[in-house]
Amino acid sequence: MSKRMLALAWSTVKGRKGGFVAAFVAVLFGSAVITACGILLESSERSGVPTERYQAADLVVGAPQALPMADDVDPRFGERATLPADRVGDIARVPGVRAAIADVNVPVSLVTADADVLAGPDSTPALGHGWQSAALGPFTTSAGQAPTRPDDVVLDSALAERASVTAGASVRLAVGSNTSTYRVTGIVSLPGGELARQSALFFTDDRARELTGQPDRVDAIGVLAAPGISADELAGAIEAAVADVVVHTGSDRSEAEFLDIGSTRSFISELSLAFGGSMVLVIMIVVASTLALSVRQRLRELALLRAIGATPKQVLGMIAAETMVVGTLGAVLGVIPGVGLSFLFRETLILAGAVPDDFELSISPLPVLATMVLCLIGARLGGWIAARRAAKLTPVDALGEAAVEPPKLGWLRLTVGLLLIPAGLAMAVVLPWVLPGEGAAESAAFSAFLLVFAVALLGPRLLDGAVTVLGPGLNRRSGASGFLATANAHANSRRLAAATTPLIMGITLAAGQLFSGTTASSAARDQAADGLRADYVVTSTSAGVSPEVADVLRDVPGVSAVTPVVRTRTLATFGSRDSPQIRTYSAQGVTGDQLAETMDLAVLEGDVADVQGNTVALSRIVAGTLGADLGDTVDLHLDDGTPIKPTVVALYERGLGLGDVTLPHDLVLEHTTDRLDFAVLVTAATGTGVGALGDALRSAVQHLPTIQVNNRESFVAAQSAAAAGESTVGLILNAVLLGYLAIAVANTLVMATAARFREFALLQLVGATRRQVFAMMRSETRIIVVAAVLIGTLAAIPSLIGTSIGLTRTLIPSIPPLIYLGIVAVAALLGWAAIMNSARIAMRSQPVDAIGVRE
């Protein structure tokens, strides 16, 4: 683009501010969203939290905590991957290592004299460690001495203060469900201040390893470097000498200390890449639509340029230059609100529980530059799409279209639009019955986009039909203004379609996104309620239930079946070796022999009683996605990274509510961080009163202060809460996307209405009053809003039916009436405010003055 072309573009933009403001606003808000995504992406690589217990360690060595994936984000393990204890000696022998100190983490609850669990500030966990690891703090003893016996313990100063204990006192500590009395031999503190994310207790090294349940494993190894040896140099030496370890230095040491930091980084990275990429595409579509409307309103001007000798290439160049000017202004000015939006994203994700509240953002010029480039690319492509047809029109054709809309749609546009409707319906209703696994719901979701594209192509025809059907009924009492609105809508169906299509798209996407989530949540809730056969659910007020509690409950008179349940995730690998795919699924570990008495998975094939040893039961959706059947083996990674290849022995339906993958209890328990059960399900024997059994169960566990006996409804409620938490982030992102679409809708409606000032002036000059013109616009707005709601709803319903088929094999999705009414109300308010306010602005001038103003 030449300097002269850019100067011409700037003059055009200044002379037609109203025509370019819609594109400017679209790029501005798009730039803000992409800037926020860029800041989040950079923060996923550079930010974290300060290390606490490893401040004195030069390096921290841990096990790999992610599954390596070529050309993709490495999926993180949710449970802590541990190292063999002999790795401590291997690292200690590396030249330059002054000391290698093992560290383990034991979840501990401090029980008060009233048998209550002492909670830390902001629910921070209390973790027990071996005394040797205190040197990694470095913790200093402020009172008392180090632990020397199995029943000795040292507390950090903040925990001791909250518990009101001093050196020499006794405390009751619960590890899992087992409570023991320990003698406080000392109080320690960090030189830099109190611990913020945890409370620390120190046992003897042998006692700490014993309490983990895995005395031959360690969680991490702190390394102290010899004098004169740099941390980076020593890290390279350790990685070269010791296999299957990850060395953390500097600020990355906190990733080895806090398991949630790595998961947060991975989550934010995936979130920002996926959402940011989607927003670039949406910006291109929105800018293209607004520029297309702007170009259409300038057809007379473009025709004049062609008539005086401008070539199609020059017209394209002029519109491209205008797009670059507007895009650059919007991209640059959108950066400032984008920084603020990134902090709003962070706070919202914290409230949703998706990221820890001490995770800080990292802000640098890099996301800003990337945003500007992406916005300009999106705006440039959008402008090129909008300008292609206008540049090819001959001057005569352009003048004709500017005066009177073409009566017919082009054959290609009509054909493609008509073909997209059966294609979308087939993807929504037919394919979900045929496709296995997650492909069914994905096909249904994509069908909504096909139907929206069909609406965009067939908009004038659809709106003309909607006006014919709805116009007489909606405007029956509006008299002449209603008749004029209906006639005007018939005559200007293209303009009406251009103004209404974004509103239809917003309604369709809002209904599709929101009601897909409610359908999945409702199915999960119903499956959990229908699948739970147990009369009581035993849970814990601390980290979890110790496995031996199940044995205690089995001995209670009147108990028919006891099933301990441990919760985790699995990573499934499938597809070809050259391009493997990874899916993460919720998993549970159970004992299969009495499972049918406590939990009904709705088995389709096989027998869940066979879930033992190296076997697995899969939900219908997971089995379909992995292409697995009875007798097949599947490639899974437990959530601490342990690979397994179990044989499929059962397929079941209720995976949404009870877990997609069901594995043997002991196998899962061994590979969880805390090695504790999530709950224990108990069913009463025939002839035993449920109330009497509840009293017997409470009596049996009364010596375990962290254990509580609940009715079955509490388990179902916990399942529903977990499902709701997982969908919260999706709702946040959908809210941002739909908010951006709402801006686009308002842009289009305002732009289309404000450009009609000459039409409004002409109506008043031939005898219509301002009141009558406003009445006509109110009638036209009713047609637009009702037609948009009707068509948008019809476009969303097939995809929702397909989603329900894919998830539950039923035809009826879950559509809460109040949420749907909210969508309708927002659409009506948005359409009404945009059209009527812009109509008032367009009629501010006197008709005689307005009719003579240039376009």
Side-chain angles (χ1 to χ4, degrees), residues 269-283:
S269 176
E270 294 177 3
L271 175 79
S272 53
L273 284 173
F275 188 63
S278 301
M279 284 305 303
V280 172
L281 180 61
V282 170
I283 289 170

Side-chain angles (χ1 to χ4, degrees), residues 234-304:
L234 187 56
I238 292 175
E239 288 177 338
V242 184
D244 299 326
V245 298
V246 177
V247 182
H248 303 273
T249 61
S251 60
D252 286 342
R253 291 172 299 169
S254 62
E255 190 171 328
E257 182 176 2
F258 305 117
L259 198 59
D260 61 333
I261 297 302
S263 300
T264 298
R265 286 177 169 173
S266 178
F267 165 76
I268 291 180
S269 176
E270 294 177 3
L271 175 79
S272 53
L273 284 173
F275 188 63
S278 301
M279 284 305 303
V280 172
L281 180 61
V282 170
I283 289 170
M284 186 181 71
I285 295 173
V286 170
V287 171
S289 65
T290 53
L291 287 176
L293 187 57
S294 174
V295 168
R296 173 159 186 78
Q297 293 171 350
R298 298 170 58 194
L299 281 180
R300 190 182 300 275
E301 171 194 332
L302 298 178
L304 180 60

Side-chain angles (χ1 to χ4, degrees), residues 495-511:
R495 173 182 55 78
L496 189 65
T500 309
T501 298
L503 190 59
I504 294 173
M505 181 187 297
I507 293 170
T508 301
L509 293 180

Side-chain angles (χ1 to χ4, degrees), residues 789-804:
V789 170
L790 180 62
I791 297 174
T793 301
L794 291 176
I797 285 177
S799 70
L800 295 175
I801 293 175
T803 298
S804 182

Side-chain angles (χ1 to χ4, degrees), residues 558-569:
V559 169
S560 172
V562 172
T563 300
V565 180
V566 57
R567 287 293 168 85
T568 186
R569 303 181 312 165

